[in-house]
Amino acid sequence: MPDPYILMLFVVGALVALVAWLPLVFRRAPLSLPIVCVILGAVIFALPQVGFDPLPQTYPDVTERLTEFVVIIALMGAGLKIDRIFNLRRWGVTWRLLGVTMMLSIAAIVILGWTVLGLGLAGAILLAGTLAPTDPVLASDIQVGAPREGREDEVRFGLTSEAGLNDGLAFPFVNLAIALALVASGQKTEWFVEWLTVSVLWEIGAGLGIGWAIGWLFGWLTFAIPVRSRLAATRDGFIVLAATFISYSVTEMLHCYGFLAVFITALAFRHADRDHDFHAQMHDFIEQIERMAMMVVLVLFGGALVSGLLAPLRPVDAAVAAVIVLVVRPLTGMIGLIGWKRPLREKLILAFFGIRGVGSFYYLAYGLNAAPFEGGDRLWAIVGLICLMSILLHGITVTPVMRWFDRSQGRDPDADADGLEAETSGRGASA
């Protein structure tokens, strides 16, 4: 047997190569990179030589921090690639998905968790807050393109902006569940006033303000100060990492919602000079990090599946999981889009692709680490099943659905690939 360290280097190298190569292979196929990562993880951790079970319950702090990192990276990338200027009217689809669809989803999941699953009110609210947000990591295949790329139709914009904002706006409900769990355990008596004033009003409002301020500051340092001193002159894409980490850490140190701040920072950063080429360079850099981090999380998720993550499931849990994926999000999505003057096909796509994934892992880990909830293993099993169903269902359907949608809009979904092939062939011929 080779040295374990050398073997690990080989496995990591192979996985990195696959992450770079597979999106090209699956560009026209009904299969996604997340599905492959989960399968690879299941295969790797099923080998008896591995001897390691990456269950989130066993490593709760690592799970929380790792998923937290992936989400903030994805939020920065999502914010940078939105070309549309922030405007209450032009962002109308976002407010529908947040104000109606997300709230109805939370209410429906609370009812299902409390009455059907018997989780108790705190556990049901935690489940709802965990599963309410559309994941900014796994939804990347249906988001807008890179800055100034031009692929910003209403469907892609709606799902990108929803994924960017609802991760932060789900936090008050997770904190509500934590407060109720602490009350039930006798660790807290008064909770409502603190939750309303701090978890809702202060943490949302301050998160928005801090995120905008840091985004403005980085925009000024990057594009507005004298040319020789501008951060844009460095051409170093990792400037975007500095903005991400500073925005998140400052906001969290002030006890506000860092997820919300990071996305707002990205929007403000982009607004500083919307047409500068440096935005594309920063986006490409952050996207590569996001894909690598996503690969790690999903490989570990595949390993958790074969290590018994779903073992605590009951038949009723599986039935409710199917209802949440197949009924709750599509139905609440269509309700939220009532009166939105767009074709039915756009409403159906927006309602269907409410992908659940890494963000849900983070919220559940955060909640279970913060307060005592009954049936933590069962909650992990339910959330794990729902995320697995979402990864498989949405991963298989996203490519054919979005290709069909592009054609219905008069766009050629293969135009970019054909152009790249022609450019590559031309270079080969000239050589």
Side-chain angles (χ1 to χ4, degrees):
M1 287 291 293
D3 182 275
Y5 172 72
I6 300 301
L7 183 60
M8 181 186 68
L9 289 181
F10 171 79
V11 172
V12 171
L15 290 174
V16 171
L18 287 174
V19 167
W21 177 58
L22 289 177
L24 298 176
V25 177
F26 297 145
R27 185 181 182 90
R28 305 176 187 181
L31 194 62
S32 68
L33 178 61
I35 294 177
V36 175
C37 289
V38 173
I39 294 173
L40 284 173
V43 171
I44 291 171
F45 285 95
L47 297 173
Q49 294 89 344
V50 174
F52 169 65
D53 296 334
L55 290 169
Q57 308 97 304
T58 307
Y59 306 95
D61 293 331
V62 174
T63 301
E64 179 182 344
R65 294 308 181 192
L66 179 58
T67 53
E68 177 184 48
F69 173 80
V70 181
V71 172
I72 63 173
I73 293 297
L75 288 171
M76 177 58 71
L80 280 181
K81 61 188 175 184
I82 292 180
D83 292 333
R84 187 173 307 192
I85 296 175
F86 182 81
N87 178 282
L88 290 177
R89 184 182 60 83
R90 296 187 66 196
W91 283 53
V93 63
T94 311
W95 314 137
R96 289 173 174 273
L97 292 172
L98 294 176
V100 181
T101 297
M102 180 176 169
M103 296 302 124
L104 289 178
S105 296
I106 289 174
I109 297 172
V110 168
I111 293 171
L112 288 170
W114 194 13
T115 61
V116 180
L117 299 179
L119 293 175
L121 184 58
I125 294 175
L126 178 61
L127 182 67
T130 294
L131 295 173
T134 294
D135 188 63
V137 182
L138 301 186
S140 59
D141 286 341
I142 48 174
Q143 291 182 357
V144 299
R148 300 175 61 195
E149 192 175 90
R151 290 193 300 120
E152 192 164 294
D153 50 68
E154 287 296 321
V155 169
R156 289 183 169 92
F157 168 77
L159 290 168
T160 306
S161 56
E162 179 200 10
L165 287 171
N166 67 6
D167 265 290
L169 296 180
F171 245 120
F173 298 96
V174 176
N175 283 334
L176 175 60
I178 292 170
L180 292 176
L182 292 174
V183 169
S185 65
Q187 300 179 45
K188 180 181 285 192
T189 55
E190 302 294 332
W191 63 272
F192 180 74
V193 173
E194 179 184 351
W195 173 77
L196 181 62
T197 57
V198 177
S199 296
V200 178
L201 300 178
W202 162 252
E203 297 196 24
I204 290 178
L208 292 170
I210 295 168
W212 178 87
I214 294 177
W216 177 89
L217 175 62
F218 268 89
W220 180 74
L221 292 172
T222 304
F223 304 114
I225 62 175
V227 175
R228 290 184 179 180
S229 304
R230 290 178 187 175
L231 291 176
T234 66
R235 312 307 296 177
D236 289 328
F238 59 72
I239 296 299
V240 71
L241 273 185
T244 304
F245 294 159
I246 291 175
S247 176
Y248 188 76
S249 59
V250 169
T251 309
E252 288 291 319
M253 284 189 286
L254 294 174
H255 304 289
C256 305
Y257 295 136
F259 284 176
L260 187 59
V262 168
F263 185 69
I264 298 300
T265 293
L267 293 179
F269 199 175
R270 178 72 196 279
H271 182 71
D273 188 342
R274 308 196 66 81
D275 296 325
H276 201 288
D277 292 339
F278 192 45
H279 286 300
Q281 188 172 345
M282 289 191 295
H283 169 266
D284 292 344
F285 180 83
I286 202 80
E287 186 180 53
Q288 291 170 1
I289 296 176
E290 177 189 341
R291 284 165 58 192
M292 286 294 302
M294 177 201 72
M295 175 203 73
V296 172
V297 170
L298 293 184
V299 166
L300 292 173
F301 176 53
L305 291 174
V306 297
S307 300
L309 179 67
L310 305 184
L313 280 175
R314 307 171 187 175
V316 67
D317 299 339
V320 169
V323 170
I324 291 173
V325 174
L326 300 175
V327 179
V328 171
R329 165 63 192 211
L331 180 59
T332 58
M334 292 302 293
I335 293 173
L337 297 173
I338 291 175
W340 188 49
K341 296 180 174 22
R342 300 295 299 182
L344 178 61
R345 61 176 176 269
E346 296 187 17
K347 297 181 181 181
L348 290 173
I349 295 173
L350 278 165
F352 178 70
F353 283 108
I355 299 176
R356 274 51 179 155
V358 179
S360 295
F361 298 152
Y362 169 76
Y363 278 119
L364 185 56
Y366 173 83
L368 294 178
N369 288 343
F373 287 88
E374 294 184 7
D377 288 350
R378 187 182 175 205
L379 284 171
W380 269 116
I382 294 170
V383 171
L385 177 61
I386 290 173
C387 292
L388 177 62
M389 293 173 63
S390 181
I391 290 170
L392 294 175
L393 176 63
H394 296 126
I396 291 172
T397 57
V398 62
T399 298
V401 168
M402 295 310 292
R403 286 171 64 83
W404 166 79
F405 173 68
D406 284 338
R407 290 193 182 98
S408 72
Q409 298 289 101
R411 294 190 296 264
D412 181 4
D414 299 320
D416 293 341
D418 292 341
L420 179 61
E421 289 174 4
E423 181 182 352
T424 305
S425 299
R427 290 176 180 174
S430 62

